[in-house]
Each structure stands twice: as structure tokens, then as C-alpha cells.
Amino acid sequence: MTEASDKADAIDVLVVDDDFMVARVHRAFVERVEPFRVVGTAHTGGQAIEAVESLRPDLILLDLYLPDLFGLDVIPRLRTAGHDCDVMVISAATEAETVRGAVRRGVVDYLLKPFDFEDLRLRLERYAAQRGRLLTTVVRGQADVDRVLAGAFGPAPAHTLPKGMSVETAELVERALREADGTLSATECAAVTGVSRVSARRYLEYFHGTGSAEVSLRYGAAGRPERRYGWRA
């Protein structure tokens, strides 16, 4: 593959966050996921609007608590200026009205802080897959329209297990999650099921990716936060 084709296939991202260090972390996360590449960062709403004008990104990772504008107010200004880039909100804002406002403005996803790389990776990969479907869809009738809308707005389709994963182990991990008194870490799940910690983590992340399990972060005195998994009732 040539450099030109690499650029053509890339999904260009603008990272917007008022905290310089947080923006740097988010940039590093994005650049670990193919085919995404960060083309710029901005730390205010005004900078974000100017950056979109000059860089023309495909996707914006948008913080909401910006020093000059509320993040959601950036979106209509971009639309008025003729920019159709997608927006993924990344924020600590949990107010229902804020989430509803984000949906009304057409955001493609809403990720709550704090999060770690796996949380963002799953959402970026889901976005890339949906973007690919939208770009390649040929509409010949209502069925084609329904397939596009189902992918954009409906629940994820039933998942088959990825290559290398077994139904038996998936059932073991699911049972462990369902019967747990609270949440489980990958290490705890491995101890309960008898599989390796790496395998347990892979199955737990699979269930998280399909929406069957939720993830929370437990922060200790030092080091990386521990990911804990719970089955969705």
C-alpha cells in the first residue's frame, strides 16, 4: 500500500480538550488505533472551530467544559459554516439534559471520563465500521435504507464469537459475571473460571463490546486503574 493510499484510507481526528495533558493522552490513545490519525488538537471552542476550518477532520473528539464555549454549542457553529465532520463527545458531564442535547446535535458517541484506552478503542472501531458501511452503501430500495439506519441508530446485531474464542469459555465467563457478588477483575474472573488472566480479559472485553457487560474503573494508591466488569441486568 502506498503512502497516498494510506492517507486516503485514514480517518483524521481533531482532539479538543481544555486540559493540555488530557489532550495529549487522548491523542496517544487515538494514534494506537488503525486507521485513525490525529491531525491536530484544540483547547477552546474557538480554536476547535478554526482547526476544523483548516484541517478538515473526519471526526472530532469533543470535550464539553471548554473555557470559552460549552462544547455542544460548537457543533451548530460548525454546521452553519458548512462542516459535516462527525463528533464524539468525551466528557465528565452526566446530566441527562446534556446527553439529550448531544443526541439532538447528532453526536456519534458519548464517552464518559474517566476512561482508559480499551473504552475508547472499542468506540473508535465501532465508528470506523459504521462509517465504512455508510460510505459504501448503495441504496436500491427500502431494505438498504433500513440496514443503514439499523447500524446507525439501532442496537448492535447479534454477535458471533471472534476467531479463537470458544462458546464453552464464553459461557464460563458469562456465568462468572452473572453469579458475581458485584464486579470482577480479569484476575478474579480467571481464578473463578480456571482460564488464564489474558483469556479472561479477552472474553470480558468481548462482552463489554457487545453491550452485555459494563466496565468501571477502580483507582488504587498507585499505578493504572483496575478495570472491573459487571453483567448488565
Side-chain angles (χ1 to χ4, degrees):
M1 183 176 291
T2 65
E3 182 178 351
S5 62
D6 284 343
K7 291 181 178 179
D9 294 337
I11 298 176
D12 291 344
V13 179
L14 173 68
V15 175
V16 182
D17 198 289
D18 69 318
D19 188 307
F20 284 74
M21 291 301 298
V22 171
R24 185 178 301 175
V25 171
H26 292 177
R27 178 176 191 136
F29 281 175
V30 172
E31 290 178 339
R32 292 170 60 186
V33 185
E34 294 289 345
F36 295 88
R37 66 177 180 181
V38 176
V39 293
T41 58
H43 307 293
T44 70
Q47 287 178 7
I49 294 169
E50 292 177 0
V52 170
E53 180 66 35
S54 61
L55 300 173
R56 303 300 174 108
D58 302 302
L59 175 67
I60 304 173
L61 301 190
L62 181 65
D63 184 24
L64 297 186
Y65 296 130
L66 301 173
D68 57 339
L69 292 171
F70 187 55
L72 292 183
D73 294 333
V74 171
I75 301 175
R77 297 191 185 199
L78 293 175
R79 302 304 181 230
T80 299
H83 302 299
D84 62 356
C85 50
D86 292 320
V87 176
M88 181 183 299
V89 168
I90 295 184
S91 176
T94 58
E95 299 82 3
E97 183 55 37
T98 299
V99 177
R100 286 193 293 268
V103 172
R104 286 194 294 268
R105 286 168 173 79
V107 304
V108 297
D109 212 329
Y110 194 114
L111 178 58
L112 286 175
K113 297 176 179 178
F115 62 90
D116 67 9
F117 170 67
E118 287 298 325
D119 294 315
L120 181 59
R121 179 185 65 80
L122 289 168
R123 283 163 173 77
L124 289 176
E125 290 179 348
R126 182 169 61 193
Y127 167 77
Q130 175 60 15
R131 184 173 186 270
R133 285 193 295 270
L134 290 172
L135 291 175
T136 58
T137 292
V138 176
V139 177
R140 300 185 181 89
Q142 186 63 50
D144 297 316
V145 175
D146 291 342
R147 276 193 293 272
V148 172
L149 294 181
F153 305 111
H159 291 263
T160 57
L161 288 172
K163 185 177 180 180
M165 298 177 70
S166 72
V167 173
E168 294 78 11
T169 304
E171 290 175 349
L172 280 175
V173 173
E174 177 180 339
R175 188 179 308 118
L177 283 174
R178 287 181 179 275
E179 295 176 354
D181 183 15
T183 59
L184 291 175
S185 67
T187 299
E188 292 166 346
C189 182
V192 171
T193 60
V195 303
S196 70
R197 187 193 65 80
V198 172
S199 292
R201 172 68 178 261
R202 186 181 182 201
Y203 283 87
L204 290 168
E205 286 294 338
Y206 164 75
F207 284 125
H208 175 49
T210 62
S212 298
E214 57 188 3
V215 172
S216 58
L217 300 180
R218 175 179 294 177
Y219 290 84
R224 297 178 57 188
E226 179 185 57
R227 290 173 69 83
R228 301 194 62 84
Y229 304 80
W231 192 259
R232 292 185 183 274

